[in-house]
């Protein structure tokens, strides 16, 4: 005698490395200032937010709302799909730092991330991600971190749009890894 079930047979699914570039403070760090940094690949906020929330949703609990400053985003969706549910997106022009994103979760509360503009060079982004996810320094706002990067290393944002081939032409070091000098433990989620 054989039994039949309505379940589909298991199948092999290739592993996909998340494409979200994200650095977070360790969980044990006190919650003041920024909780980490996010470096989106483009200004396509609907696509970028879905990818970010897909990574954070399992870590922080169900993301329920996201708030952004509209200054650098050409299109702001009302909702984005995340792991089978819709997350509401709001914008605040005066109340929210232009370089910060706020994520809300029922279980984890509020999380503030530095938003590194997509045009920023990889070395500058690595420094900014390390600074935003460092729990040992004094708390800084997102705009203060961006201003400090500009003061120390020149403008981190090369707002001239470049196609990927142009961005690497003429450079001697084409490595995609740049050392950040961490002063303590941090959780680097995915991908530089």
């Amino acid at each position: 005698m054989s039994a039949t079930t309505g379940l589909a047979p298991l199948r092999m699914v290739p592993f996909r490395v998340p494409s979200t570039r994200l650095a977070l403070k360790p969980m044990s760090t006190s919650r003041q200032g920024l909780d980490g940094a996010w470096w989106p690949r483009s200004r396509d906020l609907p696509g970028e937010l879905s990818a970010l929330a897909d990574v954070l949703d399992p870590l922080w609990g169900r993301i329920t709302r996201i708030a952004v400053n509209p200054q650098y985003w050409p299109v702001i969706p009302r909702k984005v799909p995340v792991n089978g549910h819709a997350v509401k997106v709001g914008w605040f022009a005066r109340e929210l730092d232009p370089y910060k994103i706020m994520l809300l979760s029922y279980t984890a509360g509020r999380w503030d991330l530095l938003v590194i503009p997509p045009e920023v060079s990889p070395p500058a982004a690595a420094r900014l991600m390390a600074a935003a996810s460092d729990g040992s320094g004094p708390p800084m706002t997102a705009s203060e971190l961006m201003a400090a990067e500009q003061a120390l290393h020149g403008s981190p944002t090369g707002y001239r749009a470049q196609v990927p081939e142009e961005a690497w032409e003429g450079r001697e070091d084409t490595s995609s890894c740049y050392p950040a000098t961490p002063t303590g433990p941090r959780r680097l989620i995915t991908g530089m």
Side-chain angles (χ1 to χ4, degrees):
M1 174 155 94
S2 64
T4 325
T5 65
L7 299 175
L10 295 176
R11 62 184 175 94
M12 296 294 291
V13 178
F15 175 73
R16 239 184 39 198
V17 175
S19 63
T20 304
R21 299 181 289 188
L22 181 66
L24 300 173
K25 283 184 181 177
M27 294 300 269
S28 62
T29 304
S30 66
R31 299 281 314 276
Q32 50 181 321
L34 296 168
D35 298 301
W38 172 51
W39 186 24
R41 296 183 186 280
S42 72
R43 297 236 178 240
D44 171 29
L45 193 59
E48 295 289 345
L49 281 182
S50 285
L52 173 66
D54 276 342
V55 171
L56 295 178
D57 207 53
L59 295 172
W60 289 350
R62 190 175 191 151
I63 304 292
T64 56
R65 293 184 186 272
I66 300 172
V68 299
N69 184 306
Q71 183 172 343
Y72 297 117
W73 301 105
V75 175
I76 299 175
R78 293 178 142 212
K79 293 181 182 180
V80 292
V82 176
N83 292 328
H85 69 281
V87 174
K88 292 181 181 180
V89 180
W91 58 270
F92 300 93
R94 280 184 257 151
E95 299 86 355
L96 195 60
D97 189 315
Y99 294 106
K100 185 170 88 173
I101 184 171
M102 182 175 66
L103 298 107
L104 300 174
S105 164
Y106 286 132
T107 55
R110 173 182 168 164
W111 295 83
D112 296 320
L113 298 177
L114 167 69
V115 177
I116 301 169
E119 301 85 10
V120 169
S121 68
R127 287 189 299 269
L128 287 163
M129 291 179 94
S133 61
D134 183 14
S136 64
M140 294 179 76
T141 68
S143 287
E144 288 171 345
L145 275 176
M146 294 300 287
E149 173 64 24
Q150 183 174 5
L152 293 171
H153 301 284
S155 178
T157 54
Y159 283 106
R160 176 179 137 355
Q162 293 180 328
V163 292
E165 297 82 39
E166 278 183 339
W168 293 105
E169 277 184 30
R171 287 191 186 178
E172 291 178 23
D173 179 15
T174 58
S175 169
S176 63
C177 298
Y178 296 90
T181 52
T183 57
R186 71 185 36 63
R187 295 183 309 141
L188 181 63
I189 300 292
T190 60
M192 294 294 283

